[in-house]
Amino acid sequence: MLPQKTAAGATQRRLLSPADNPLVRAVGRLPAGVHAKLLVAFVGTALLVVALGVLGLRLLGQSNERVETLGTLQERAFAYGKLRSDALHVRLLLGQNIAGDTFTNFPDLYVQRPAAAVLAIDRAITSAVAQIPASTFPDNLGFRPPPDDEIYLRRIRATGEGLSTVMREITEARAAPARVTSAPARLTSLRLRAELLAIDLNQHATELANATTARSDALIAQNASAYTRSRNLLIAAAAGAIVLALLLGFVLSWSLIGPIQRIDTRLAAIASGDFSGHVDVTNRDELGALAANVDRMNDELKRLYKELESASRHKSEFLANMSHELRTPLNAIIGFSQVLREKMVGEVNEKQAEYLDDILSSGNHLLSLINDVLDLSKVEAGQVELEVAPFSLHEALERGVVMVRERATKDGVQVTHTADPDIDLIAGDERRIRQVIFNLLSNAVKFTPAGGSVDVSATQVNGEVRVAVADTGPGIAAEDLERIFEEFQQTEAGLEQLEGTGLGLALSKRLVELHGGRIWVDSESGKGSTFVFTLPVEGTKL
């Protein structure tokens, strides 16, 4: 179960990782250039914005249409409401004027009114009724009614015309008193007919007004619902567009960033000397081509590096062998020269003694050079094995001071040793550490002018033993601080001395690093130099 869980976890991490997302990799594998992909992304985003704008305009247009329709309905409702008001007014006038006649058939319904007042009201009703049919036409309404309204309007028009005819008959009958007294039954019939027509007229006008009002109310409710739907749709569309734009940007950006990160990681590994891997980029664009070139460069550098390692190893082996072969006859030359100089086999004159001193000086210099070359070659070839054992660092520093004190005294340079009582026994290869100390001290004495001083000290800082050699010499330029630790590299002051090979610091650096330490220099031109090397405390201090 554990391997399955591990595999599932790895798959989940791969899906969640932007650079390893399958969709991102699929976009990267599209056979299109980076420029084309970016252009597609920009165009796609623009189309999303345009689509969102078109949708918004369409929804706004629909809302505007509904508002216009609502305005038309409200205009019709107002006109139809006026028709209903006029019809109701006529009906009320008729109801009041029924009391103006006294009919024997309905003695309990009416109250006596003066005949002149009744006639005036009848004429007012006739005038009002005459205006109702005319007000149903489009010219007077101010708009063209729809077919559904036209049905009601025709009914109102017909009923109004009929009521107008009846009212004219009533007013004509009442205008002739003789006729009123002679035909009471006819007036009663006309009154009843007018009342029924007025009821019908009011009913038709009310139905028309109510229907229009109902449509207005329904449209208002529809507008509210449509607004909610439109708002939700627009919000959903905007959210969808944003999500799509973000997804598009995410996928496209990581289809570019992922390969760049992988290429950068591989280049960093190549810079550190790791040629074992390749760039995992499946893009079929410029980044894919770049990754392929990086892989080819990696393979070529790997091949060249192996060749260089082989050449360096052969060089080191050759130098080691040659140094050994050269040191044997050179030791004989130095030995026999010393025998002659010490007059062990006979007297030598002054000139011969001078020549023997030159031979000894040159031989010792050449032997020192051969020893440095041999030691450096062994370090580079990995043939140096440290003989780690406890030794006194204080004693090693004192011996180094003693070895350079003769030359320092001759050149007028003061050499001091600052002892730290807390640091004495350490673990390391005593011979190699002494070699490093001697190299640093001899360089300090060599480059310090007369009247100057050299100080060597040892301290413990941050879990390390630090050995520092400070001088008051000419200092080192900033551009030479790193270069002086390379083979056969010297500063201008070193070249002026006409001695040294430029191997001492390089060899010291290798020996310190073999002990797990570091070496560096703090210096400025004209202000002296301080060379510092460290040894780790763990397993060192006893």
Side-chain angles (χ1 to χ4, degrees), residues 125-139:
I125 294 173
T126 302
S127 177
V129 172
Q131 295 177 1
I132 290 177
S135 63
T136 60
F137 290 100
D139 293 341

Side-chain angles (χ1 to χ4, degrees), residues 134-172:
S135 63
T136 60
F137 290 100
D139 293 341
N140 293 324
L141 289 173
F143 58 86
R144 180 170 295 279
D148 292 341
D149 294 352
E150 186 63 37
I151 296 173
Y152 289 101
L153 290 173
R154 284 198 296 268
R155 294 174 183 173
I156 293 171
R157 197 178 301 129
T159 305
E161 290 174 353
L163 180 58
S164 179
T165 301
V166 172
M167 289 307 302
R168 281 198 301 271
E169 292 179 0
I170 292 174
T171 53
E172 290 174 356

Side-chain angles (χ1 to χ4, degrees), residues 373-391:
V373 171
L374 180 61
D375 288 341
L376 188 60
S377 300
K378 286 182 177 180
V379 171
E380 290 181 347
Q383 298 176 358
V384 174
E385 295 183 2
L386 299 179
E387 298 178 2
V388 179
F391 71 95

Side-chain angles (χ1 to χ4, degrees), residues 27-106:
V27 172
R29 285 193 292 268
L30 291 176
V34 174
H35 179 268
K37 292 177 181 178
L38 291 175
L39 183 61
V40 168
F42 294 148
V43 172
T45 304
L47 289 178
L48 287 175
V49 173
V50 170
L52 188 61
V54 169
L55 177 61
L57 289 175
R58 181 178 179 184
L59 294 176
L60 186 61
Q62 292 176 349
S63 177
N64 187 55
E65 289 178 0
R66 288 192 295 269
V67 170
E68 290 179 354
T69 303
L70 180 60
T72 303
L73 281 175
Q74 289 176 340
E75 182 182 1
R76 294 210 303 258
F78 177 77
Y80 298 157
K82 188 175 182 304
L83 278 176
R84 180 177 59 183
S85 178
D86 292 342
L88 181 60
H89 179 63
V90 168
R91 182 181 177 187
L92 292 176
L93 288 177
L94 279 173
Q96 293 176 4
N97 216 24
I98 288 177
D101 291 320
T102 303
F103 301 112
T104 56
N105 295 336
F106 308 99

Side-chain angles (χ1 to χ4, degrees), residues 9 12 31 39-40 88 101 131 142 158 185 224 279 285 288 298 308 333 387 391 405 438 465 509 538:
Q12 185 177 10
L39 183 61
V40 168
L88 181 60
D101 291 320
Q131 295 177 1
V279 183
D285 50 24
N298 177 83
L308 287 174
I333 293 173
E387 298 178 2
F391 71 95
R405 182 164 287 162
F438 175 75
V465 174
K509 183 175 185 294
E538 293 79 3

Side-chain angles (χ1 to χ4, degrees), residues 299-345:
D299 295 339
E300 182 65 16
L301 287 175
K302 182 178 181 180
R303 183 185 65 80
L304 293 175
Y305 189 75
K306 287 183 177 179
E307 292 180 358
L308 287 174
E309 281 186 334
S310 177
S312 177
R313 185 174 63 256
H314 292 320
K315 179 205 71 172
S316 299
E317 292 174 355
F318 170 77
L319 289 177
N321 294 331
M322 287 302 297
S323 298
H324 179 73
E325 294 297 329
L326 288 173
R327 192 162 51 178
T328 300
L330 187 57
N331 284 331
I333 293 173
I334 294 173
F336 287 122
S337 297
Q338 288 175 339
V339 169
L340 293 174
R341 185 66 181 82
E342 296 295 331
K343 302 177 183 181
M344 294 181 181
V345 292

